[in-house]
Amino acid sequence: MKFSISDAEDFVSGIFEQNGVISTSARSTAKALVAAEAAGQGGHGFRRIPAYVKQTRAGKVNGKATVTTKRVKAGVLAIDAAHGYAYPALDAAVADLPTMAREQGIALAAISRSHHAGVMALTVERFAEQGLVALMVANAPAAIAPWGGTKPLFGTNPIAFAAPVAGQDPLVIDLALSKVARGKVMAARQKGDKIPEGWALDVDGKPTTDADAAMAGTMIPAGDAKGAALAFMVEIMAAGLTGGDFAFESPSLFDEKSRSVALGHTIIAIDPSVTAGDMFASRLAMFAGEIEAQPEARLPGRRSQGNRKRAYDEGIVIESDILEEIAAL
């Protein structure tokens, strides 16, 4: 079925409100899921709705949660997602952190008791659109084993970065520290598809192309030992700094069983004018031009940005199997 962006946001927001989510949180979550779908990141879009709704019904996610913010230091903002969805807390960071970054030159938001952080590119890009450089890390339930081990202790733990580019869309880098985002494995499982070799290992540490076995096993880290080390770093930056659950302590994001998720997200916003003056965005545009001058080279994030522009013009198509799963709720 094809939706315009606004119709899709209304549709998704209505689903959450019908399931007891307060209107502000429902709208925030809907906008994020639709934007993910528009960006071509279906594993973080509509395919998350059934699990989200079931978790709200079961009380694993607090649909009535109200985000609270506290400026604990001049450059530090503490945000409590209160076991609700992550998106209202991320909206709060986008609302408050830029002013703090301009006052101090740099500011940090520590988000606690949160849920799935979604497509983090969409969050950091909002800072870059305001002329700031932004770095975000988030941890997730255990899916990656320490290098040489077989028991998952780290999440796929994405890192996202954005910076303003004069006369262009922001530069955006967003990557999971597994070879692919776990949402892609979840999407394959929902469709009944196999996954490519090299994505995951089963519970015995053997390579698998079975999506169910991959979800029960471990994701292969990007860059092997280096990726596992970076995933450990994100655990410290995201969960350690916020008091959140480490990955191995966290319940799943994909089912409605067990207690509430309490993951952490950390966002650092920097005002580049403090150190680089007014030339930062124009010099980055020059650098970007050097990259794009190479015939096969492309800037990170441009494909996603292009997808979203087309989606806002042409609408988005949601596959029938996921609409049937949503209808079955």
Side-chain angles (χ1 to χ4, degrees):
M1 184 179 293
K2 194 169 190 176
F3 293 82
S4 69
I5 296 297
S6 61
D7 285 346
E9 290 175 354
D10 290 344
F11 173 61
V12 176
S13 183
I15 290 169
F16 285 108
E17 289 194 55
Q18 289 164 21
N19 282 277
V21 179
I22 58 174
S23 60
T24 52
S25 182
R27 178 60 61 172
S28 174
T29 302
K31 287 177 73 68
L33 296 180
V34 171
E37 201 73 45
Q41 299 289 334
H44 294 296
F46 272 47
R47 291 190 176 277
R48 292 278 174 165
I49 294 173
Y52 278 21
V53 168
K54 290 174 184 176
Q55 289 173 30
T56 302
R57 288 178 177 177
K60 186 172 180 176
V61 174
N62 180 7
K64 309 293 187 188
T66 300
V67 171
T68 57
T69 63
K70 183 178 180 181
R71 192 166 177 174
V72 293
K73 293 285 185 180
V76 180
L77 184 68
I79 302 175
D80 184 2
H83 296 304
Y85 296 114
Y87 307 110
L90 297 176
D91 287 346
V94 173
D96 293 350
L97 209 57
T99 298
M100 295 170 58
R102 291 190 184 96
E103 289 174 358
Q104 308 297 321
I106 186 169
L108 179 148
I111 300 174
S112 62
R113 298 202 299 171
S114 194
H115 195 253
H116 172 231
V119 179
M120 296 186 346
L122 298 171
T123 297
V124 293
E125 186 178 60
R126 294 159 73 186
F127 290 96
E129 288 171 344
Q130 299 181 61
L132 302 174
V133 174
L135 175 69
M136 177 177 176
V137 293
N139 77 323
I144 295 176
W147 190 245
T150 57
K151 179 183 177 182
L153 293 181
F154 313 140
T156 53
N157 293 4
I159 300 173
F161 171 86
V165 181
Q168 301 180 35
D169 290 329
L171 170 69
V172 181
I173 298 169
D174 185 1
L175 51 92
L177 292 175
S178 51
K179 284 194 174 178
V180 297
R182 207 172 187 213
K184 291 187 177 181
V185 179
M186 180 201 70
R189 182 175 67 173
Q190 287 179 328
K191 295 178 183 179
D193 293 342
K194 288 189 176 296
I195 61 172
E197 293 184 4
W199 280 17
L201 307 174
D202 64 18
V203 292
D204 297 318
K206 296 178 180 178
T208 184
T209 59
D210 182 274
D212 286 318
M215 291 296 289
T218 64
M219 302 294 292
I220 297 175
D224 300 328
K226 294 178 182 179
L230 285 171
F232 189 17
M233 180 196 75
V234 172
E235 290 290 336
I236 297 165
M237 288 289 294
L241 290 185
T242 65
D245 286 343
F246 288 119
F248 71 90
E249 299 175 301
S250 177
S252 173
L253 289 171
F254 297 111
D255 63 44
E256 64 274 22
K257 301 171 186 176
S258 76
R259 63 174 175 82
S260 296
V261 177
L263 296 169
H265 321 312
T266 297
I267 303 172
I268 300 170
I270 303 166
D271 181 356
S273 69
V274 173
T275 54
D278 296 332
M279 298 298 292
F280 177 84
S282 59
R283 284 185 52 76
L284 189 49
M286 178 271 293
F287 196 166
E290 289 292 315
I291 294 170
E292 293 180 311
Q294 300 185 34
E296 300 301 320
R298 63 181 180 86
L299 289 173
R302 289 295 188 251
R303 181 180 300 167
S304 172
Q305 290 163 338
N307 287 342
R308 278 184 285 141
K309 288 175 183 177
R310 284 190 296 275
Y312 276 84
D313 290 338
E314 302 170 10
I316 54 176
V317 175
I318 306 302
E319 294 165 306
S320 58
D321 68 308
I322 192 60
L323 288 174
E324 289 169 3
E325 192 172 349
I326 291 169
L329 294 170

